[in-house]
Amino acid sequence: MASAKKGYHYLTVKDTIIKLDSVRDKKLFKVTSPQKVNANKNKAQSFNAPNPTSVLNTRQDTTPTAGGLKSVVKATAEDSSFVDNDHKMKYLYGKARVTYEDFELDAEYIRVDENKHEIFARGAIDPKTRRYIGRPLTKSGQEKPVASDSLVFNYTTKKVKIWNPASEQEGNYISGGLAKRINENEVAYRNVIFSTCDLPYPDTHFGIVITKGIGQKNRIISGPAYLEIAGVPLPLGIPFGFFPKPDSRTSGVILPTFGEDQKLGFYLRNLGYYVGINDNIDVTFMSSLYSKGSYELSANSRYLKRYKYGGNLTLSYGSHNYGLAGDPAVKDFNVAWTHSQDPSANPGTTFSASVNAGTSSFYRNSPGQNNYDLSRLTQNNLRSSISYGRTWVGTPFNLNVSLGHSQDLTQKTVTLELPTFSFNMSTLSPFDSKDRVGEQKWYQRITVGYSLVGTNKLNNIPEAELFKSNTLSKRLQSGLQHQIPVAFNATVLKYFQFNTGVNYTERWYLQSIRKRFDRGSRDAIIDTVAGFARAGEYSFNAGFSTKLYGTIPFKKGNITAIRHVSTPSISFNYRPDFGDPSYGYYRTAVSAATVPYPYYAQRYSIFEQSVYGGPSPGKQAGIGFSLDNTIEAKVRPKSTDTSGVARKIPILQGLTFSTFYNFAADSLKLSNINFSGHTSVLNEKVNINFSGSFDPYYTQVRDSITNGRLQNYIRRVNRFSWQQGKFPLLQSFSFSASGSLNPATFHPKATVPVGNTLQTMDPNQAQRLAMINSDPGAYIDFNIPWNISLNYSFNYNNNIINTSSSNTIMLSGDVSLTDKWKIQYNTNYDLKLGKLSDATSFAIYRDLHCWDLSIQWLPFGFYKSYNVTLKVKASILQDLKLSKRSDYTNNAGFY
């Protein structure tokens, strides 16, 4: 029992070392009643200075003499403090704090012994909750804070003795036992737990108990150590060990997983090596080996230059033998690269890359490299883009250059753009003056723009022919396209908007085509003709538009009025017939007449295989009609709304009808009547879209006999349906509804600040988002108790003799059964066929604090499988996991 007799102040709590929970192990604590504690504290305050938080200094100890201190020991307390000058002791109670040089200490109780140059600190038992509170928290220099149950610090030798410490460094936690600081670089440990769990001892779920050890800056050298899980020691131990505590990237081996694949045999999967080159770049090498001769190799490099750029590059290669023994292996490769530039790194210039290219069978043959991601296994195409952009400040010009890649995995074809560029000039008013005063003259409203695009394109090249020598020389398509829009707009008679314009398009090519028939052949032969060829076309348009408002007021009820806004517009469009032989853009190939075949004729465009095509045939001179409608209701404010402003609720956000009447056509002059609309319900949480098309002309159904079979065909008659007493035919109709509902939807949070959006995120955030998108199970938000994403789609097509429709609903989301259990689901249901999609999947997650338990299940279909994984959360031990999987390749034995 420590005491201070001269000051008549007695400590009521023993200065013992407290290692256990004060509620669960309350019998181990011997404390006096709360009344006595408070009485002694009040007594201590009677001997204290008037200000209970005064700074206590010892002047004679601050002189830098041979045996004195080099700095001032500063001490404060929020509750009370007591000074025993005879014994040179200081007692601080209630959120006490002591600082000495770069050493900082906070605790519920602190005792300073100036004779021994020692500081003792501990917590205290809360008289209400009976829990141990105010544990000492120490910090020295640039080191991370260390919590403990109690400690003794010598501020001359700077040696520290800590009971039940709790500290963290780069995802590693040390807690429990005893730690003694020997010098500035070494700490002695006894019975401490080295773990990735941030819970203090004895609640740590997983760890290695180091009975004796020495801790240095970047490592711990231990004597005997053993494994402990949830407080239960396991018979797994080592006589001595080495545990790294890196404060920077460190190279090392990545442990593999073992298992068996039904087709590939036993495997050693994801054996790798991590190389931390520096703080800006690292490389991870991974390999998987199979007993039947297959193997997979990959290299992933991440790089980041703060405030400049960041990215990720992955090269993958696989050799698989899914056939019989002795069959040649299937070779696959894949290249994935993402790169983003910080917007502030180089104003006016942008560079980005998103590359995903490889063989069409890579994802199917190498599912393990992608963690059996169903979205990747079932995808039909790959796309890539590398782009560079430049904007000249103070000018209307900008440039964009890009390399593009598109790959159809089903057809096994590749389309490359090598490269594509665009040079644009934003619209300007050439007759307007920057120093103009007053309103614009009519000619000053004329605007002119310009754009130039060019490309070198390989279109739909089979994978097997992509790297052949003659592919580039014979299949490469090049072209340039110029566009010059000239426009004028003005307000006429106060309420009408008038606009008119001329658009000119010029295309340049280095080759064109010619078609011909061989004698006796019915199939045309296409010849490519080298040489410069141009195609120019132009069109003229003019139109009027206005707005009409209508309001229906209501005197009773919550709705005060309903407003209808109608926007009618009428336009005139003219474009000559560029299929006329005088332009030379279209030609006719005629075959020679042979017995028993007559001659054949085929009209074609000499630019039909060019990258930008050519002018379309047919003269157009007609009037277009369009009518857009919006309807909204004005609702009286709620009684709790202090603003008193009426709320506007959209009923119909848009309903548009449009058609075109072509006077130059010889028949069927009226185009289809198209309509589309959109709105939202449930306080704009569910979006609804619909569209369709009516055929205004009467359609006849005729019969014919072909190869001895009766067949129907349709023929449109130049007569309107209503002239036949019928309503126009609904040729197509589509309806969709989508929405995402969760508690945050009904109780929205504050707007996300600038810098946290997809457009403004930094490269590090982009890499983390890419990881989440590739593995949604890597991020589970238990703060949202439930979430439902719904997407309903209906499509209908009718040409009288054939009618088709589809009716599907897509449902996904998650629900938290408890604070630690969450179920995710994703499915498609065909309402017409009455069956679930083969892509239906379920996932169950259990948060085990420093562990994760995940169960993923695809109950049926070709990819029917399950996967159960128990793993450590800490990134440093991501390879410490237990997994049980039944892959879709093992469906023969799946139950």
Side-chain angles (χ1 to χ4, degrees):
M1 178 76 72
S3 63
K5 296 181 180 180
K6 287 293 182 179
Y8 301 99
H9 180 79
Y10 298 92
L11 299 182
T12 59
V13 183
K14 282 189 174 183
D15 293 340
T16 54
I17 308 307
I18 301 170
K19 301 180 182 179
L20 304 177
D21 187 272
S22 56
V23 173
R24 184 182 61 229
D25 308 298
K26 60 183 178 181
K27 294 182 179 180
L28 301 180
F29 296 99
K30 295 180 180 180
V31 298
T32 58
S33 63
Q35 293 80 2
K36 187 174 180 181
V37 174
N38 294 333
N40 287 329
K41 284 189 176 183
N42 294 333
K43 186 176 180 181
Q45 290 179 358
S46 63
F47 294 91
N48 195 19
N51 183 2
T53 60
S54 59
V55 179
L56 306 176
N57 298 332
T58 306
R59 296 181 181 275
Q60 60 269 27
D61 290 339
T62 61
T63 305
T65 59
L69 300 177
K70 297 181 180 180
S71 301
V72 177
V73 178
K74 299 181 180 180
T76 62
E78 185 175 295
D79 190 345
S80 61
S81 60
F82 172 67
V83 179
D84 183 353
N85 291 322
D86 293 341
H87 296 86
K88 294 185 178 180
M89 304 284 287
K90 304 173 185 176
Y91 303 89
L92 308 171
Y93 299 89
K95 297 184 179 179
R97 180 177 179 81
V98 171
T99 58
Y100 175 72
E101 294 183 350
D102 61 351
F103 176 82
E104 301 176 7
L105 169 63
D106 293 275
E108 188 68 19
Y109 166 74
I110 298 177
R111 184 187 67 222
V112 181
D113 188 340
E114 297 182 5
N115 287 325
K116 297 181 180 180
H117 305 297
E118 287 185 348
I119 299 175
F120 172 78
R122 59 163 173 78
I125 297 178
D126 189 285
K128 294 182 179 180
T129 63
R130 309 301 297 169
R131 288 191 176 275
Y132 194 58
I133 63 172
R135 283 179 166 86
L137 186 66
T138 60
K139 186 177 184 300
S140 180
Q142 300 298 323
E143 297 179 357
K144 293 188 175 181
V146 178
S148 61
D149 279 349
S150 56
L151 63 88
V152 175
F153 171 64
N154 188 303
Y155 51 79
T156 55
T157 62
K158 292 193 176 182
K159 292 184 178 181
V160 187
K161 198 172 186 180
I162 303 176
W163 286 265
N164 199 9
S167 64
E168 182 269 338
Q169 182 178 7
E170 298 297 328
N172 299 318
Y173 297 89
I174 296 177
S175 63
L178 174 65
K180 183 177 181 181
R181 183 172 182 175
I182 303 173
N183 52 50
E184 294 184 356
N185 299 319
E186 292 184 337
V187 178
Y189 294 113
R190 176 185 287 274
N191 296 327
V192 298
I193 294 181
F194 182 78
S195 172
T196 60
C197 182
D198 60 354
L199 289 178
Y201 177 84
D203 299 314
T204 306
H205 291 165
F206 170 84
I208 299 174
V209 179
I210 301 175
T211 57
K212 291 182 180 180
I214 298 293
Q216 298 177 344
K217 182 178 181 181
N218 296 323
R219 59 183 177 269
I220 297 177
I221 304 173
S222 79
Y226 60 90
L227 185 65
E228 182 178 283
I229 296 180
V232 179
L234 299 183
L236 299 175
I238 54 175
F240 58 89
F242 176 86
F243 303 93
K245 295 194 307 176
D247 56 0
S248 61
R249 298 177 186 265
T250 303
S251 303
V253 176
I254 300 175
L255 299 179
T257 57
F258 304 86
E260 182 182 6
D261 186 279
Q262 185 179 10
K263 294 184 178 180
L264 301 179
F266 296 98
Y267 62 74
L268 185 69
R269 181 173 288 163
N270 294 332
L271 171 64
Y273 191 82
Y274 173 81
V275 181
I277 300 176
N278 53 47
D279 291 338
N280 301 107
I281 186 172
D282 62 11
V283 182
T284 302
F285 299 96
M286 303 291 286
S287 63
S288 297
L289 304 176
Y290 299 86
S291 60
K292 292 186 179 181
S294 301
Y295 61 90
E296 299 168 357
L297 303 173
S298 68
N300 173 262
S301 176
R302 300 176 300 175
Y303 58 91
L304 175 65
K305 185 70 172 179
R306 192 176 297 274
Y307 308 119
K308 293 292 185 179
Y309 55 82
N312 194 316
L313 174 64
T314 302
L315 305 177
S316 304
Y317 178 81
S319 175
H320 300 88
N321 189 348
Y322 285 102
L324 299 175
D327 289 349
V330 179
K331 310 292 184 179
D332 293 294
F333 74 92
N334 182 263
V335 178
W337 178 36
T338 60
H339 178 92
S340 59
Q341 177 180 293
D342 192 299
S344 59
N346 194 357
T349 302
T350 60
F351 179 78
S352 63
S354 177
V355 176
N356 188 8
T359 55
S360 59
S361 58
F362 170 77
Y363 290 104
R364 184 176 66 253
N365 292 336
S366 309
Q369 293 197 31
N370 301 281
N371 197 29
Y372 294 85
D373 185 1
L374 185 62
S375 62
R376 294 191 176 186
L377 291 173
T378 57
Q379 63 185 339
N380 295 321
N381 49 66
L382 302 178
R383 295 184 182 277
S384 304
S385 175
I386 303 174
S387 61
Y388 167 83
R390 174 69 185 274
T391 300
W392 286 271
V393 180
T395 69
F397 303 104
N398 63 82
L399 172 69
N400 185 275
V401 182
S402 64
L403 298 173
H405 154 266
S406 178
Q407 187 171 354
D408 191 322
L409 301 184
T410 304
Q411 301 296 330
K412 296 185 178 181
T413 58
V414 180
T415 297
L416 299 177
E417 296 179 352
L418 307 168
T420 294
F421 74 92
S422 64
F423 179 79
N424 302 289
M425 181 188 73
S426 57
T427 57
L428 51 85
S429 301
F431 304 108
D432 198 2
S433 174
K434 295 182 179 179
D435 302 327
R436 173 178 51 82
V437 178
E439 296 184 359
Q440 286 181 313
K441 304 295 184 181
W442 68 268
Y443 57 86
Q444 293 176 329
R445 295 179 178 271
I446 298 175
T447 60
V448 179
Y450 173 76
S451 67
L452 168 66
V453 294
T455 188
N456 296 287
K457 192 172 185 179
L458 291 172
N459 194 30
N460 293 329
I461 306 298
E463 288 184 10
E465 301 178 8
L466 183 61
F467 297 104
K468 289 186 177 180
S469 57
N470 60 350
T471 299
L472 189 64
S473 59
K474 292 186 176 181
R475 303 290 296 273
L476 184 65
Q477 300 176 352
S478 303
L480 293 174
Q481 177 175 277
H482 310 260
Q483 287 185 322
I484 303 177
V486 180
F488 169 80
N489 63 83
T491 302
V492 180
L493 300 177
K494 296 175 62 174
Y495 302 108
F496 296 92
Q497 294 293 324
F498 172 74
N499 61 83
T500 184
V502 177
N503 292 282
Y504 181 77
T505 301
E506 175 88 5
R507 301 179 180 94
W508 295 348
Y509 300 114
L510 298 179
Q511 59 187 16
S512 57
I513 67 166
R514 302 291 187 271
K515 290 186 178 182
R516 58 184 174 86
F517 289 93
D518 276 348
R519 182 177 180 84
S521 175
R522 300 176 61 182
D523 297 325
I525 299 175
I526 301 176
D527 296 325
T528 301
V529 179
F532 178 78
R534 60 163 296 276
E537 64 175 317
Y538 59 90
S539 63
F540 170 79
N541 63 84
F544 287 92
S545 66
T546 188
K547 286 185 179 293
L548 303 176
Y549 298 88
T551 303
I552 302 176
F554 296 91
K555 296 182 179 180
K556 297 181 180 181
N558 293 328
I559 299 178
T560 61
I562 293 180
R563 188 176 75 162
H564 173 220
V565 180
S566 179
T567 307
S569 62
I570 183 172
S571 62
F572 174 78
N573 296 273
Y574 172 78
R575 184 176 56 81
D577 181 12
F578 291 102
D580 189 279
S582 62
Y583 289 98
Y585 303 151
Y586 285 81
R587 298 193 178 191
T588 302
V590 181
S591 67
T594 58
V595 178
Y597 301 107
Y599 74 92
Y600 294 94
Q602 181 179 351
R603 193 164 181 257
Y604 66 94
S605 170
I606 64 175
F607 303 112
E608 63 183 29
Q609 293 187 357
S610 301
V611 288
Y612 299 116
S616 57
K619 184 178 181 181
Q620 181 175 291
I623 297 177
F625 302 92
S626 175
L627 179 65
D628 184 62
N629 303 269
T630 60
I631 303 175
E632 63 181 9
K634 184 176 290 187
V635 181
R636 289 185 174 88
K638 297 180 179 180
S639 57
T640 56
D641 189 353
T642 58
S643 64
V645 179
R647 295 181 296 119
K648 294 182 180 180
I649 299 178
I651 299 176
L652 190 61
Q653 295 176 340
L655 176 60
T656 303
F657 297 90
S658 63
T659 187
F660 182 79
Y661 191 87
N662 187 6
F663 293 101
D666 56 358
S667 63
L668 305 175
K669 298 182 179 182
L670 183 63
S671 301
N672 281 3
I673 302 173
N674 302 313
F675 66 92
S676 63
H678 64 96
T679 188
S680 58
V681 296
L682 297 180
N683 199 17
E684 299 188 19
K685 296 177 178 63
V686 177
N687 298 315
I688 297 176
N689 296 272
F690 58 91
S691 62
S693 176
F694 288 101
D695 185 356
Y697 288 98
Y698 175 67
T699 303
Q700 292 180 339
V701 179
R702 298 292 182 91
D703 298 332
S704 66
I705 297 177
T706 304
N707 297 327
R709 297 181 61 184
L710 180 65
Q711 293 184 349
N712 296 329
Y713 69 94
I714 59 175
R715 175 176 175 269
R716 297 177 73 195
V717 180
N718 191 26
R719 185 175 178 84
F720 295 113
S721 298
W722 51 79
Q723 291 177 316
Q724 297 293 119
K726 295 184 178 181
F727 193 80
L729 175 67
L730 180 62
Q731 278 192 339
S732 64
F733 177 75
S734 65
F735 176 86
S736 65
S738 62
S740 181
L741 304 177
N742 54 53
T745 305
F746 298 97
H747 304 283
K749 298 181 180 179
T751 305
V752 178
V754 177
N756 291 349
T757 64
L758 290 174
Q759 292 77 18
T760 58
M761 66 171 58
D762 58 42
N764 189 29
Q765 291 173 321
Q767 290 184 22
R768 293 171 60 188
L769 180 62
M771 179 192 71
I772 293 173
N773 290 337
S774 63
D775 183 11
Y779 178 76
I780 305 299
D781 190 356
F782 282 93
N783 295 321
I784 301 178
W786 58 269
N787 180 67
I788 298 177
S789 295
L790 181 70
N791 194 329
Y792 171 78
S793 176
F794 173 80
N795 291 280
Y796 170 82
N797 291 280
N798 179 22
N799 64 351
I800 301 180
I801 60 175
N802 290 313
T803 301
S804 63
S805 64
S806 63
N807 195 7
T808 60
I809 182 172
M810 293 181 287
L811 189 66
S812 64
D814 57 68
V815 58
S816 296
L817 300 180
T818 67
D819 292 340
K820 301 296 182 180
W821 284 94
K822 182 178 283 290
I823 296 179
Q824 290 185 331
Y825 51 88
N826 190 340
T827 185
N828 296 347
Y829 185 76
D830 193 320
L831 297 174
K832 185 177 180 180
L833 300 178
K835 60 178 294 186
L836 289 173
S837 166
D838 290 346
T840 299
S841 63
F842 297 92
I844 303 175
Y845 295 92
R846 174 65 165 94
D847 183 6
L848 299 173
H849 190 259
C850 54
W851 289 75
D852 265 339
L853 173 66
S854 63
I855 303 173
Q856 297 179 341
W857 179 36
L858 276 69
F860 42 76
F862 178 78
Y863 293 103
K864 178 177 60 176
S865 61
Y866 71 85
N867 179 26
V868 182
T869 302
L870 178 65
K871 65 179 181 179
V872 179
K873 281 185 180 180
S875 58
I876 194 174
L877 293 178
Q878 281 295 294
D879 296 301
L880 183 60
K881 59 184 177 182
L882 179 65
S883 181
K884 174 62 177 176
R885 176 190 298 275
S886 175
D887 299 335
Y888 73 93
T889 56
N890 304 334
N891 279 342
F894 175 77
Y895 297 98

